[in-house]
Amino acid sequence: MPVWENRITSAFLDRFEGKNNEMRLRSVSIFPDFDGASAGEKESYLEAAEALEQKNLLILNWEKRGKGERLKTLVCPDIKKLFEAAGRKNPVLEAGEIRAFIKEKISMPEKARSHEKMFLFLDYLAENFKAADAKRGMDSAAISDFICLAENYSDIQKLKNITTRALSIQLYNDSKRLEYLLEFISPFLSRAKKEGVPIPDFSFLERSFPATMISGKLVFEFAPVELEYSPPLLNERGIILGLPFQSALEIQNIKTIEPKEKPAVLTIENKETFYALASGGGAGSSFGINNYDCCLYSGGYPNRAVSAVIRLLASSGFSFFHAGDLDADGILILQNIKDIAEKPVSPLCMDAATFNRYLLWSKPAGSALSRLESIREETRAIPGIAELICRIEETGRCVEQEIIDYRLTQASAC
């Protein structure tokens, strides 16, 4: 197919959403630079449009000044014929075939049926696979490979102690096929979740390894394994411990070695500040604060490991304090921690007085200023936060956490 015929055809096919078999496009949307193009380029475009009309694939509507000068609109009366002429699959037909294929698979006594969430998700996929999904490249081969994963999903032993790429070779003889499938299936998982459909958890296949760090004289209690008692882990010296997401999932409860009615955790946004405050044999000892029993590194917005530990600490009865950057994101991270913990979070040195003290060494807030709008009213109502927001807006500046000397802290104020 000549260049301009291909461009015009692609303009229709790429915009096709599967709603109507007839499509109409304005000429300017296909060739927006028509007026500034050379005479030869204009002629090539018009000749290609006329050639498609002669093949009964398009109907051309010209401007009133006369045929042969300027096209107004191009109409495709039968998009199915245009797909055939272009040698491309019709996503509407393909989506229907894929839905039928999935239904056939899940009606068979496959292993996937033994895992309820996986079966419910496949059932959702069979009813809701759309033409737009086919256009994204989720073809029958990809669906077939995903069902292969579904069949193995219920046999957890096949998925343990193996990397994602090694498993991909085992299942598909392709080291990156599984990553490709997870990328394509992600929008379906989000859609199903929003619609209240239970979804299987594929997070263990993601090639990311979230972790956090915690310090403090703590006891980590574990759930029994096959009804057998699991001894707790004691951090008697209060040293910094690395805690990957998978390890955090194994912990059932966290408490202080010396029993406390209301233990407290200080979450810290910046790694350098975390090491400065959490080192030295336990939380608090290195900077003269005795109010906090442990320090937790949030690393910015909490990842899955941080979130898991926050929930653990919340369910274990800890009260929350947070030290972060004096900017929009710092306040939004505090807000995020509050949402995860479902408990109040008190800021440490996140106030106008601290901001003014370090204003000389501050930096421009830049585009981050617009994110102040995302701070909710209940967060602004936390003591010190509203005044801090005012100073950020007034100066257009922000203060990074790592320049704050927390040794100046007395009680809970800087």
Side-chain angles (χ1 to χ4, degrees):
M1 187 177 283
V3 174
W4 263 113
E5 283 190 39
N6 184 57
R7 288 184 188 176
I8 295 170
T9 299
S10 295
F12 278 91
L13 302 187
D14 291 344
R15 290 171 171 83
F16 179 60
E17 296 179 353
K19 296 178 182 179
N20 300 303
N21 194 41
E22 180 178 299
M23 284 185 68
R24 179 186 300 267
L25 293 179
R26 294 174 62 210
S27 180
V28 68
S29 70
I30 301 172
F31 194 175
D33 299 325
F34 181 86
D35 288 336
S38 66
E41 192 73 3
K42 289 179 181 179
E43 185 178 356
S44 296
Y45 168 63
L46 297 175
E47 287 179 351
E50 290 177 324
L52 290 169
E53 185 178 46
Q54 290 169 7
K55 296 175 184 178
N56 297 317
L57 295 173
L58 296 182
I59 299 171
L60 308 182
N61 296 313
W62 299 84
E63 296 282 3
K64 291 181 179 179
R65 286 181 292 176
K67 181 177 177 179
E69 294 184 19
R70 181 187 294 271
L71 271 173
K72 184 178 182 181
T73 59
L74 297 82
V75 180
C76 176
D78 188 347
I79 197 71
K80 294 178 183 177
K81 287 180 63 177
L82 197 59
F83 272 107
E84 290 173 6
R88 286 171 57 173
K89 289 184 178 180
N90 184 327
V92 172
L93 298 178
E94 189 175 12
E97 292 171 359
I98 288 174
R99 287 194 299 271
F101 174 73
I102 299 171
K103 288 176 183 178
E104 179 185 354
K105 279 294 200 179
I106 62 178
S107 67
M108 299 169 64
E110 301 284 357
K111 292 180 181 179
R113 289 184 66 92
S114 65
H115 193 283
E116 184 181 6
K117 285 186 177 180
M118 179 62 78
F119 177 69
L120 289 172
F121 176 65
L122 287 173
D123 193 45
Y124 171 84
L125 205 58
E127 296 295 333
N128 294 276
F129 193 93
K130 302 174 182 177
D133 301 318
K135 285 178 66 177
R136 286 196 304 113
M138 196 69 178
D139 55 17
S140 55
I143 289 293
S144 181
D145 284 349
F146 178 73
I147 290 176
C148 173
L149 174 64
E151 291 171 351
N152 285 274
Y153 186 88
S154 58
D155 189 352
I156 193 65
Q157 293 304 319
K158 287 187 177 181
L159 305 180
K160 288 181 68 176
N161 306 120
I162 187 170
T163 64
T164 299
R165 288 191 172 178
L167 178 62
S168 188
I169 290 174
Q170 179 181 306
L171 295 178
Y172 312 115
N173 198 32
D174 181 337
S175 65
K176 295 186 178 181
R177 180 62 171 171
L178 193 47
E179 293 170 63
Y180 171 86
L181 290 176
L182 293 175
E183 180 182 341
F184 269 106
I185 211 67
S186 180
F188 291 111
L189 292 168
S190 298
R191 273 161 42 188
K193 187 176 181 179
K194 285 180 182 178
E195 294 177 31
V197 178
I199 60 173
D201 181 13
F202 293 111
S203 60
F204 67 97
L205 293 173
E206 295 174 3
R207 297 184 70 246
S208 63
F209 309 97
T212 185
M213 294 180 287
I214 190 169
S215 74
K217 297 180 179 181
L218 302 171
V219 179
F220 301 90
E221 297 178 333
F222 302 92
V225 178
E226 298 179 355
L227 302 179
E228 292 187 9
Y229 172 72
S230 297
L233 172 66
L234 275 65
N235 187 12
E236 294 180 306
R237 293 183 59 185
I239 61 172
I240 295 173
L241 299 177
L243 203 56
F245 175 59
Q246 293 298 329
S247 298
L249 293 179
E250 299 292 326
I251 302 170
Q252 189 176 49
N253 187 57
I254 301 174
K255 61 185 182 181
T256 55
I257 289 179
E258 293 184 8
K260 280 194 172 185
E261 185 178 346
K262 292 183 178 180
V265 55
L266 175 66
T267 57
I268 301 171
E269 177 182 341
N270 178 270
K271 183 181 286 188
E272 183 179 357
T273 302
F274 173 80
Y275 273 107
L277 303 189
S279 61
S285 62
S286 64
F287 64 108
I289 301 177
N290 299 315
N291 293 359
Y292 311 111
D293 300 288
C294 65
C295 292
L296 176 68
Y297 172 55
S298 80
Y301 288 92
N303 61 30
R304 285 182 293 150
V306 177
S307 298
V309 177
I310 288 172
R311 292 188 188 97
L312 271 169
L313 290 165
S315 65
S316 300
F318 280 73
S319 55
F320 283 77
F321 298 81
H322 180 70
D325 288 337
L326 277 60
D327 63 6
D329 285 309
I331 299 169
L332 286 170
I333 289 167
L334 181 151
Q335 179 173 280
N336 191 202
I337 291 171
K338 178 179 177 293
D339 291 343
I340 296 167
E342 297 182 342
K343 298 179 75 170
V345 178
S346 301
L348 173 68
C349 298
M350 296 179 71
D351 51 39
T354 306
F355 184 90
N356 292 335
R357 183 178 297 130
Y358 291 95
L359 181 59
L360 181 62
W361 303 279
S362 64
K363 67 174 188 178
S367 61
L369 278 174
S370 63
R371 292 196 284 278
L372 290 170
E373 298 175 2
S374 300
I375 301 171
R376 301 192 301 263
E377 286 304 317
E378 66 266 26
T379 304
R380 293 171 182 265
I382 296 172
I385 295 298
E387 293 80 5
L388 173 59
I389 292 172
C390 284
R391 291 299 292 135
I392 295 170
E393 290 176 330
E394 290 168 355
T395 61
R397 313 285 293 183
C398 62
V399 172
E400 295 177 303
Q401 179 179 25
E402 54 264 47
I403 71 171
I404 298 173
D405 185 352
Y406 287 88
R407 295 176 304 174
L408 302 175
T409 304
Q410 297 296 326
S412 60
C414 279

